[in-house]
């Protein structure tokens, strides 16, 4: 199924209405995983024509993503990567962890952007950043799409490396599922329990009687409710 290519429409609007000269697109990956960090990329692209085939990373095959990511890393004006660890996710909750990772990504840029295009409808970044949220921004906005692909390939590679360098994690097949709840991942959790790279405050532990004693209590019921939707996603 063909998709409309992303454009610079939102970026042009921000430039015209706010006077912003440097606009960064921001996207995350790993929100719905059970293991590994949440990873955010901030990308600045200017108004140049993007490489062919750019769209939301979830709509691109793994092979094509792997080919496109290094092209994008060379093509963008600048990009920064930020992670929030499983421990930070457990301690802070997903919303605050996303903000932490996004701030790290934005601060990794060589220049501070005047405005940020954030994928989705919720502004988890907030003040002092000037944010424009865009639903499906990873499909419609060039900078967000570029950030989406770079973040996805970076995180997938890190999870694959984690599985490769530590034989103890082979049963979890992180190279195939990137920490998301695949059948193999579920079976390994039932048999072996969570690793040091799993999120221990999440509800998957409720279905694992042998390992429920390891569950960390979320900092507040209200915060847990805000994030409950993020624990069910699949994003291979």
């Amino acid at each position: 199924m063909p998709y409309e290519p992303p454009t610079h429409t939102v970026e042009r609007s921000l430039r015209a209405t706010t006077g912003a000269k440097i606009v960064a697109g921001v996207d995350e990956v790993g929100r719905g995983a059970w293991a590994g960090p949440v990873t955010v990329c901030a990308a600045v692209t200017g108004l140049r024509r993007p490489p062919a085939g750019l769209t939301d990373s979830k709509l691109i095959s793994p092979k094509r993503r792997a080919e496109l990511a290094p092209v994008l890393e060379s093509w963008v004006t600048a990009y920064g990567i930020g992670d929030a660890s499983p421990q930070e996710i457990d301690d802070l909750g997903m919303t605050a962890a996303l903000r932490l990772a996004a701030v790290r990504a934005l601060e990794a840029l060589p220049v501070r952007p005047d405005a940020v295009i954030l994928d989705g409808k919720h502004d988890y970044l907030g003040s002092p950043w000037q944010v424009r949220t865009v639903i499906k921004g990873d499909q419609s906005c060039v900078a967000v799409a570029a950030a989406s692909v770079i973040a996805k390939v970076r995180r997938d590679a890190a999870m694959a490396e984690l599985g490769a360098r530590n034989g103890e994690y082979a049963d979890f097949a992180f190279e195939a599922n990137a920490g998301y709840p695949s059948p193999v991942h579920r079976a390994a959790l039932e048999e072996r329990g969570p690793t040091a790279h799993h999120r221990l405050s999440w509800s998957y532990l409720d279905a694992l009687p042998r390992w429920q004693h390891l569950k960390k209590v979320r900092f507040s019921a209200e915060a847990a409710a805000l994030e409950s939707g993020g624990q069910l996603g699949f994003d291979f």
Side-chain angles (χ1 to χ4, degrees):
M1 177 181 177
Y3 296 94
E4 289 292 323
T7 70
H8 295 294
T9 300
V10 176
E11 185 170 342
R12 292 182 188 278
S13 172
L14 278 168
R15 286 170 175 248
T17 59
T18 70
K21 295 181 179 179
I22 301 172
V23 179
V26 171
D27 198 16
E28 54 77 22
V29 64
R31 187 193 301 231
W34 288 355
V38 62
T39 299
V40 173
C41 179
V44 178
T45 66
L47 299 176
R48 293 171 296 146
R49 182 186 298 273
L54 177 62
T55 187
D56 172 13
S57 65
K58 295 187 290 297
L59 304 178
I60 306 174
S61 71
K63 180 177 184 295
R64 178 57 181 149
R65 282 199 303 260
E67 295 169 346
L68 186 57
V71 174
L72 288 169
E73 290 176 10
S74 298
W75 172 79
V76 298
T77 304
Y79 73 92
I81 300 288
D83 292 317
S85 70
Q87 292 75 28
E88 288 171 327
I89 293 169
D90 286 334
D91 291 343
L92 302 173
M94 181 53 76
T95 301
L98 275 171
R99 185 178 196 279
L100 181 63
V103 168
R104 287 169 173 166
L106 289 163
E107 291 183 343
L109 292 170
V111 291
R112 183 184 177 93
D114 302 309
V116 175
I117 304 172
L118 191 63
D119 181 50
K121 64 181 179 179
H122 298 299
D123 177 8
Y124 58 76
L125 191 55
S127 180
W129 305 93
Q130 180 168 262
V131 176
R132 173 79 60 86
T133 58
V134 179
I135 296 173
K136 294 188 177 180
D138 46 11
Q139 293 183 38
S140 61
C141 302
V142 170
V144 180
S148 168
V149 173
I150 294 172
K152 176 65 174 168
V153 171
R154 284 294 189 95
R155 186 181 183 279
D156 282 0
M159 292 302 293
E161 181 183 354
L162 173 63
R165 74 170 182 258
N166 192 326
E168 293 183 15
Y169 301 151
D171 292 347
F172 293 91
F174 289 149
E175 74 285 352
N177 59 52
Y180 284 85
S182 70
V184 171
H185 190 173
R186 292 173 186 269
L189 275 168
E190 290 178 2
E191 178 64 26
R192 303 190 49 191
T195 70
H197 300 279
H198 279 84
R199 303 168 188 182
L200 298 181
S201 59
W202 285 36
S203 59
Y204 70 85
L205 279 170
D206 295 338
L208 301 173
R210 288 176 61 191
W211 311 107
Q212 283 183 6
H213 63 286
L214 298 176
K215 187 172 182 180
K216 294 182 68 173
V217 177
R218 189 62 61 85
F219 56 97
S220 76
E222 180 181 3
L226 287 173
E227 290 140 24
S228 61
Q231 298 186 28
L232 303 176
F234 290 78
D235 185 17
F236 297 106

